[in-house]
Amino acid sequence: MRWDLLFDDLEARLDQEQRDEERALALEEERLRLGRLGLRDRFAGMARAIHDDLAAFIRLELRTGATLAVRPSAFGRDWMSADQLDGDRSGRHCIVPFEAIAAVLAGPSLLERSLEPLQEPSSSLTDRMGLAFPLRDLSRRRAPVHVHTEGGRVHGTIDRVARDHLDLALHPVGTPRRERDVQGYRIVPLDRVMLVSFGPSN
């Protein structure tokens, strides 16, 4: 009888040790997974949550100190495009380089969703494109834009986008880019771009 109790006790201890080891391994795997998460991954998680809740949005604080409420629509390698939701900017679209973001102001539910594992890594071509890609598209479409830098905001049309900078023709808001209306030109390094907004009321 005592042998039976001894073996039962040993078996229970081994089971407990195995469960403890599996739990420790799962915790370590989760720590490693979280350690590999990038800002882009966190935004993708938030975007999934926002897709499920039409009233939800992300509030960003830029390095300029400005804040804006957005609903992300697409992600590149180092940027995201989004719909702007605040005040007079509502209805506009924007492109935000990740390195222009000083902080993401998110509530607990968005924060939790941003930590969820991605179902499958995306293989979209857009996901691998750098900031120059959407800016070249705006240039090709001759879309009027507001370009925000740490020095302020200027309005115009992007004439061209090179490897690490863009050429912006400055002209009054509400007028198309015509040579006679161009008030000047500005070369802006891409790493100084904080936000590019475009769309209604540009």
Side-chain angles (χ1 to χ4, degrees):
M1 190 69 168
R2 275 183 284 179
W3 286 111
D4 290 343
L5 290 172
L6 177 63
F7 287 131
D8 287 347
D9 185 48
L10 284 172
E11 190 175 347
R13 281 192 210 171
L14 286 171
D15 285 346
Q16 184 60 45
E17 285 176 13
Q18 186 172 355
R19 283 195 297 272
D20 290 345
E21 193 175 314
E22 287 170 357
R23 195 176 301 115
L25 185 60
L27 286 171
E28 183 58 26
E29 285 175 355
E30 179 64 1
R31 274 195 291 270
L32 288 170
R33 184 188 72 78
L34 292 175
R36 289 190 293 266
L37 274 181
L39 185 60
R40 185 185 185 285
D41 302 319
R42 302 289 299 272
F43 277 128
M46 290 183 203
R48 285 194 304 272
I50 287 170
H51 184 267
D52 297 340
D53 178 1
L54 296 178
F57 59 89
I58 299 172
R59 186 163 291 283
L60 302 176
E61 181 182 309
L62 302 181
R63 288 192 343 233
T64 59
T67 61
L68 63 152
V70 298
R71 288 179 62 87
S73 53
F75 298 94
R77 185 180 68 237
D78 55 0
W79 56 273
M80 74 172 167
S81 63
D83 299 322
Q84 290 183 257
L85 303 177
D86 9 20
D88 65 336
R89 294 182 297 227
S90 183
R92 287 190 198 169
H93 310 290
C94 64
I95 295 166
V96 187
F98 291 148
E99 70 174 33
I101 298 169
V104 182
L105 313 174
S109 61
L110 275 184
L111 198 63
E112 284 301 313
R113 289 294 298 271
S114 75
L115 295 171
E116 291 177 1
L118 296 173
Q119 281 75 22
E120 284 183 24
S122 176
S123 58
S124 163
L125 182 61
T126 306
D127 293 345
R128 298 191 299 271
M129 296 292 186
L131 177 61
F133 173 74
L135 298 180
R136 285 188 182 114
D137 183 58
L138 290 172
S139 173
R140 181 183 53 78
R141 291 190 282 134
R142 312 305 290 157
V145 298
H146 290 293
V147 176
H148 303 246
T149 66
E150 289 173 339
R153 179 180 88 161
V154 290
H155 176 80
T157 299
I158 300 172
D159 279 346
R160 66 193 60 81
V161 181
R163 181 173 56 86
D164 59 358
H165 63 277
L166 61 83
D167 291 3
L168 186 71
L170 307 177
H171 56 80
V173 175
T175 64
R177 187 212 185 286
R178 294 189 195 96
E179 206 58 47
R180 68 175 182 267
D181 295 319
V182 171
Q183 299 166 334
Y185 298 90
R186 184 170 288 210
I187 296 175
V188 183
L190 295 185
D191 64 3
R192 295 293 180 223
V193 173
M194 300 286 109
L195 176 74
V196 176
S197 59
F198 55 97
S201 75
N202 254 7

